[in-house]
Amino acid sequence: MNLTQIKTNKKYIITSVSGDNTLCRRLLDMGFAPGSEISDAASAPFGDTKLVYLRGRLIALRSGAASLVKVEPSRG
Amino acid sequence: MVNISLAGNPNVGKTTVFNRLTKSFEHVGNWHGVTVDAASKEISFEGERLIITDLPGIYSLTPYSGEECISRDAIYTGGDLIVNVCDAGNLARNLYLTLQLLEYGANVVLAVNMVNELSRDTKLSYEKLSRTLGIKVVPIDLKFGDELLTEALDALKNKQKAAKLVYLDKLPLDDISRVIKDNAYLAGIPERYAVVKILEGDAYITEKLNLTERQMRELAKYKDRQAEVAAARYGYIDKILSEVFTYSGNEKNDRLGIDRILLNKYLALPVFALIIFSIFIIIFGEFRFGDITVGFIGYWLKFALSAFIENCIKLPMSSALTDADALPWVTGLVTDGIIGGMASVLIFLPQIVLLFFFLALLEDSGYISRVAFMTDGLFQKIGLSGRSVFTMLMGFGCSATAVLTARGLDDDMMRKKTVALTPFMSCSAKLPVYLAICSAYFAAGQVFVIIGMYLIGIGVSVAYAAIGQRISRFKSGSTGFIMELPPYRFPSGARIFQLLWHNAKTFVIRVGTAVFLLSAVVWLLSHFTFGFVYTGNSTEGSMLWHIAGAVSFIFAPLGFGNANAAAALISGLVAKEAVISTVDALGGINTVFTGQFASASAFSFLVFTLLYIPCIATLTATAKETGVKWMFFCSALQLFAAYTLALISYWTGVLFISHTGIAVTVFAVITVALLAAAAASYLLKNKEKPCGACRKKCKSRKSCGYKGE
């Protein structure tokens, strides 16, 4: 599954980031590296921009970028 | 002479550190990408001459947008020392850049900023961090002293021994090393660094290495390994941080806090509207109940200042000149022209300073990043992104400086469009015009007319953006919007005082220079004929009367086809405040808007002032950022919007004043028709069906984003 499909109040682990090169690099630099824990924080009023928690920080991203981030539910 | 560069992630306080080290007042704010250009200043410290350079924020040494390249180039081409500024609350992401600086082999001192923001339960061992990385680590907060520069100079004199970056061993470095060894040597790039950048697919370094086709083929299998490199770095960082941080107490459960309300899907926009409306009421609100005027801080400060100017400057000056038997034209020039013109703008000092203050508060608190997030969906529909919000918000202060901040937008068309639309955000220099004309014609409804002006400006820019997105030439590429929301911060008392003082000073200097000169020139032009004969109390026959009179017919359909209005709009091209100072120097507002429909003319004049070509400073900045051709294109859009909307508002006003009944009926019919059309188009639009493939119940195929597992 990818980041657009995550549910609130659950933790996920990033498994891979792949697709459009520039966008991927941006994501990786921002900390969306494989192995990182991530969870859902909020959704914007219109459109498909969402807010996620990553390493204690809030990051907003559109579904175009979010769909490049593959995740799996965290077992921890 | 020593060169020290301040580098680091966006919004970690580099510019604040720079301002403190060099006693400067570069613009800062609590959002990403405030600084778009490098700023340098020379200082002396313990007998050394130091050049401190503040660089735009970067996340990595492989940048995306123009201003990030400035930072990369500055780091590559030298500087004796890099002070890597970090946010103590976000070390994980910050160290990602630090590791890259160390990979490159730069001489780095780590300045861990905002240590005061760490919670009391969190302990961070700076010695351990310093030992692990092999570089100096200096904890600082807003009030740091000499320790940063002392440590920096020490790091320059005694070479630091950077630690071995063990995580790199996991990557297939040796295999690539063999291939590019000689190229790296020739290009002057540290070998190990070049290897890592090849794995990351960095175009800049690859080009520098000047590889042959054979080498390229050999390296092909190492492409697309950037995720692996990032995972290695972050894995190492997570390990370091688990060693240097010790937590006592429980993890906070409610991590969202006030954002639970401010970013709520349904409450976010109403709360935003409420905040903006409150700010407007505080600055401009004045309500009359019979003889009593109720106002807020902005109103009372203006009241006091205008009494002061009238009684302590204007009256004594004019009686002194009369007593001294000065020539009548000298008295006129000084009291009506210069003092009158400057005073007409200066009395709005408190309100303009307040406006800048609230803008800074929105920026400093971190709320503006939330606004960018909550409006991103709307902006996306019209081909802009939430990132454009920063630039447009700055436009409410000053368009000329705001257009520079558009550099942070990575899509070129989006950047150009943002620059084009920013002048429609009513800038602070237009406020004196609104306030002066409103208090003469719309006294009680002043605050609503002013809000209306802002909304018209926003409406025009949204309309233009929406139209642009439908024309393929002006369509923006779909860029991914990825933005970090900073934590809320509240400015200190000192910072608030500094903001108020700095903005008041800037405004007074503007009035003392541009407005002063224009007032004098306009008064002289309007009271002397081409043969330099004084025209006395009337402006008839003067140079300006002839020049402006010749073009004033253009404005006749808009309700202000007279020489004074034309002259005011022309001088407004130099500085927008001059629109009102010119009107004042030419005999006051009452000479510009006359007759039965004076208030309709006044309103149409306000609309025209809001939308027409911005000041020369903004035009220059637009040309510099986007090219001369684009600047002329923008000007054409501005003139078109200004003329059309002023025309519509004037005749609507006239209809309202003369035939209120008809006007109300026409509006009711139009409103109902529009609502019906909107409802019909909503009903007729094909409702999207769920995609049917994903496990969760999505609403539409387009928004689902499901691409199979």
Side-chain angles (χ1 to χ4, degrees):
Chain A
M1 67 192 295
N2 67 45
L3 204 52
T4 59
Q5 298 157 312
I6 63 173
K7 293 189 180 73
T8 42
N9 300 324
K10 275 185 87 175
K11 288 178 177 169
Y12 296 84
I13 300 284
I14 297 176
T15 52
S16 73
V17 181
S18 59
D20 175 80
N21 225 331
T22 325
L23 213 50
C24 270
R25 190 173 304 134
R26 187 60 141 188
L27 285 165
L28 292 168
D29 289 348
M30 296 287 284
F32 291 83
S36 315
E37 190 185 89
I38 197 162
S39 60
D40 182 75
S43 302
F46 297 95
D48 50 17
T49 313
K50 73 179 332 174
L51 201 60
V52 294
Y53 262 115
L54 183 66
R55 287 168 217 281
R57 285 297 178 116
L58 288 168
I59 299 180
L61 74 172
R62 285 183 186 168
S63 69
S67 61
L68 304 182
V69 181
K70 304 283 180 291
V71 294
E72 63 180 25
S74 164
R75 286 180 199 92
Chain B
M1 198 86 94
V2 176
N3 285 299
I4 297 179
S5 307
L6 300 175
N9 279 184
N11 201 32
V12 293
K14 290 177 294 300
T15 304
T16 309
V17 171
F18 177 79
N19 284 345
R20 189 162 172 90
L21 287 177
T22 63
K23 301 182 178 59
S24 313
F25 198 86
E26 297 286 333
H27 187 91
V28 296
N30 186 11
W31 50 280
H32 300 82
V34 185
T35 308
V36 289
D37 211 344
S40 292
K41 204 162 174 181
E42 203 183 303
I43 59 165
S44 78
F45 180 78
E46 289 177 358
E48 288 266 11
R49 311 289 304 157
L50 310 177
I51 298 176
I52 313 274
T53 307
D54 181 28
L55 298 173
I58 44 172
Y59 289 112
S60 80
L61 287 178
T62 305
Y64 317 84
S65 52
E67 95 273 8
E68 293 183 335
C69 291
I70 297 175
S71 302
R72 176 199 61 195
D73 295 346
I75 289 165
Y76 282 167
T77 54
D80 302 298
L81 180 82
I82 292 166
V83 171
N84 181 198
V85 185
C86 285
D87 173 356
N90 196 9
L91 265 187
R93 238 257 325 288
N94 287 216
L95 288 179
Y96 190 76
L97 177 69
T98 313
L99 290 184
Q100 291 184 57
L101 292 172
L102 294 177
E103 284 165 18
Y104 183 63
N107 193 4
V108 182
V109 167
L110 198 68
V112 180
N113 198 6
M114 305 187 241
V115 287
N116 52 318
E117 284 182 17
L118 287 176
S119 76
R120 247 175 288 151
D121 304 333
T122 311
K123 286 270 168 315
L124 173 55
S125 165
Y126 303 104
E127 300 91 67
K128 227 184 226 171
L129 185 61
S130 167
R131 235 179 303 128
T132 319
L133 293 172
I135 53 171
K136 284 183 182 296
V137 176
V138 190
I140 56 173
D141 57 21
L142 287 174
K143 287 177 255 193
F144 69 94
D146 288 342
E147 68 271 23
L148 182 58
L149 286 181
T150 312
E151 292 290 329
L153 285 184
D154 190 54
L156 274 167
K157 283 178 195 130
N158 312 308
K159 208 167 170 355
Q160 309 186 84
K161 258 203 192 133
K164 186 174 172 350
L165 304 170
V166 288
Y167 59 93
L168 292 176
D169 296 344
K170 291 182 193 161
L171 305 166
L173 299 189
D174 293 342
D175 304 343
I176 304 176
S177 245
R178 261 196 306 279
V179 182
I180 63 149
K181 204 173 192 152
D182 296 338
N183 300 65
Y185 179 75
L186 287 174
I189 304 167
E191 186 184 314
R192 190 186 50 178
Y193 182 76
V195 171
V196 175
K197 285 293 150 192
I198 292 229
L199 276 178
E200 290 191 282
D202 182 302
Y204 180 83
I205 292 288
T206 314
E207 199 192 303
K208 283 258 155 147
L209 286 174
N210 214 356
L211 300 168
T212 62
E213 269 189 41
R214 226 191 95 228
Q215 284 173 306
M216 296 282 236
R217 268 199 305 279
E218 268 185 80
L219 294 175
K221 63 176 165 182
Y222 298 112
K223 261 180 145 184
D224 281 340
R225 301 285 280 268
Q226 41 177 338
E228 211 177 308
V229 178
R233 283 196 196 117
Y234 273 109
Y236 184 61
I237 291 169
D238 288 340
K239 194 175 145 278
I240 296 179
L241 292 185
S242 68
E243 282 163 14
V244 298
F245 272 112
T246 38
Y247 301 96
S248 52
N250 301 323
E251 207 186 323
K252 260 202 298 185
N253 277 327
D254 188 16
R255 288 184 298 179
L256 267 181
I258 193 164
D259 275 336
R260 208 164 278 287
I261 295 162
L262 294 182
L263 293 182
N264 180 288
K265 207 172 162 107
Y266 306 100
L267 291 177
L269 290 175
V271 170
F272 174 53
L274 192 72
I275 289 173
I276 297 296
F277 187 71
S278 316
I279 291 175
F280 273 89
I281 294 284
I282 292 172
I283 306 178
F284 308 115
E286 51 180 87
F287 304 96
R288 283 180 208 167
F289 302 102
D291 290 340
I292 310 159
T293 305
V294 178
F296 291 90
I297 181 161
Y299 170 75
W300 292 111
L301 286 172
K302 186 187 85 181
F303 186 78
L305 189 62
S306 85
F308 173 79
I309 292 173
E310 186 68 32
N311 295 316
C312 303
I313 299 176
K314 216 169 168 178
L315 290 179
M317 199 73 172
S318 92
S319 60
L321 284 167
T322 321
D323 290 348
D325 279 334
L327 289 169
W329 74 264
V330 175
T331 316
L333 173 66
V334 174
T335 53
D336 294 341
I338 297 173
I339 298 182
M342 282 167 70
S344 66
V345 177
L346 199 61
I347 57 165
F348 300 114
L349 169 89
Q351 283 162 317
I352 286 176
V353 170
L354 275 176
L355 177 80
F356 273 105
F357 170 71
F358 280 114
L359 283 179
L361 209 60
L362 286 178
E363 263 189 84
D364 280 14
S365 64
Y367 184 62
I368 189 61
S369 299
R370 269 89 181 155
V371 176
F373 161 69
M374 66 179 95
T375 53
D376 180 58
L378 295 172
F379 275 94
Q380 192 180 5
K381 289 197 171 74
I382 55 172
L384 298 174
S385 92
R387 178 61 185 70
S388 314
V389 166
F390 296 122
T391 302
M392 295 194 163
L393 186 98
M394 303 296 289
F396 290 130
C398 171
S399 321
T401 52
V403 294
L404 303 181
T405 66
R407 283 185 208 169
L409 287 149
D410 21 339
D411 183 79
D412 196 50
M413 187 36 84
M414 198 184 279
R415 187 177 64 84
K416 284 170 99 173
K417 285 199 285 195
T418 306
V419 168
L421 301 178
T422 301
F424 289 124
M425 304 297 121
S426 177
C427 79
S428 67
K430 291 171 188 167
L431 268 179
V433 187
Y434 304 159
L435 290 164
I437 292 178
C438 281
S439 67
Y441 290 95
F442 310 106
Q446 160 166 316
V447 69
F448 298 102
V449 175
I450 293 173
I451 292 177
M453 286 303 135
Y454 280 81
L455 289 178
I456 291 173
I458 294 168
V460 168
S461 66
V462 167
Y464 268 139
I467 295 169
Q469 194 59 7
R470 285 175 194 276
I471 302 168
S472 58
R473 239 190 99 190
F474 300 116
K475 201 169 157 63
S476 329
S478 63
T479 54
F481 168 83
I482 309 172
M483 193 189 67
E484 191 184 335
L485 302 193
Y488 287 109
R489 299 200 166 102
F490 291 94
S492 62
R495 163 92 179 136
I496 290 175
F497 178 77
Q498 198 185 24
L499 276 173
L500 293 174
W501 171 246
H502 179 78
N503 285 318
K505 201 173 82 180
T506 315
F507 182 72
V508 170
I509 289 173
R510 256 179 94 78
V511 173
T513 51
V515 177
F516 166 78
L517 277 175
L518 271 171
S519 303
V521 169
V522 165
W523 195 90
L524 287 172
L525 285 176
S526 63
H527 288 80
F528 282 88
T529 64
F530 282 108
F532 297 106
V533 181
Y534 181 47
T535 57
N537 279 330
S538 144
T539 57
E540 216 169 301
S542 68
M543 290 180 255
L544 195 77
W545 189 79
H546 281 291
I547 301 168
V551 295
S552 65
F553 72 93
I554 301 170
F555 303 113
L558 312 181
F560 46 88
N562 58 63
N564 288 1
L569 290 171
I570 294 168
S571 47
L573 293 177
V574 178
K576 282 289 170 289
E577 296 96 337
V579 171
I580 203 64
S581 67
T582 304
V583 166
D584 237 60
L586 293 179
I589 295 169
N590 300 330
T591 64
V592 179
F593 312 111
T594 48
Q596 196 192 349
F597 305 118
S599 55
S601 306
F603 189 81
S604 134
F605 186 78
L606 286 182
V607 172
F608 196 88
T609 307
L610 161 74
L611 301 171
Y612 86 120
I613 302 178
C615 64
I616 288 177
T618 307
L619 290 178
T620 319
T622 307
K624 206 175 135 234
E625 294 296 306
T626 59
V628 177
K629 237 173 100 186
W630 187 259
M631 181 201 83
F632 280 115
F633 174 66
C634 294
S635 304
L637 291 181
Q638 285 145 359
L639 278 179
F640 175 76
Y643 202 88
T644 329
L645 284 170
L647 191 72
I648 294 171
S649 16
Y650 177 63
W651 291 103
T652 314
V654 167
L655 191 65
F656 250 115
I657 296 166
S658 54
H659 301 91
T660 315
I662 298 178
V664 171
T665 318
V666 169
F667 274 98
V669 170
I670 292 176
T671 316
V672 170
L674 281 178
L675 282 177
S681 83
Y682 179 77
L683 288 173
L684 289 174
K685 210 171 93 183
N686 292 336
K687 283 228 169 128
E688 284 180 297
K689 288 178 184 123
C691 76
C694 68
R695 261 176 250 151
K696 75 171 193 179
K697 282 174 189 157
C698 64
K699 286 192 189 109
S700 75
R701 210 165 285 182
K702 217 167 94 199
S703 69
C704 176
Y706 179 80
K707 292 196 176 83
E709 301 257 313

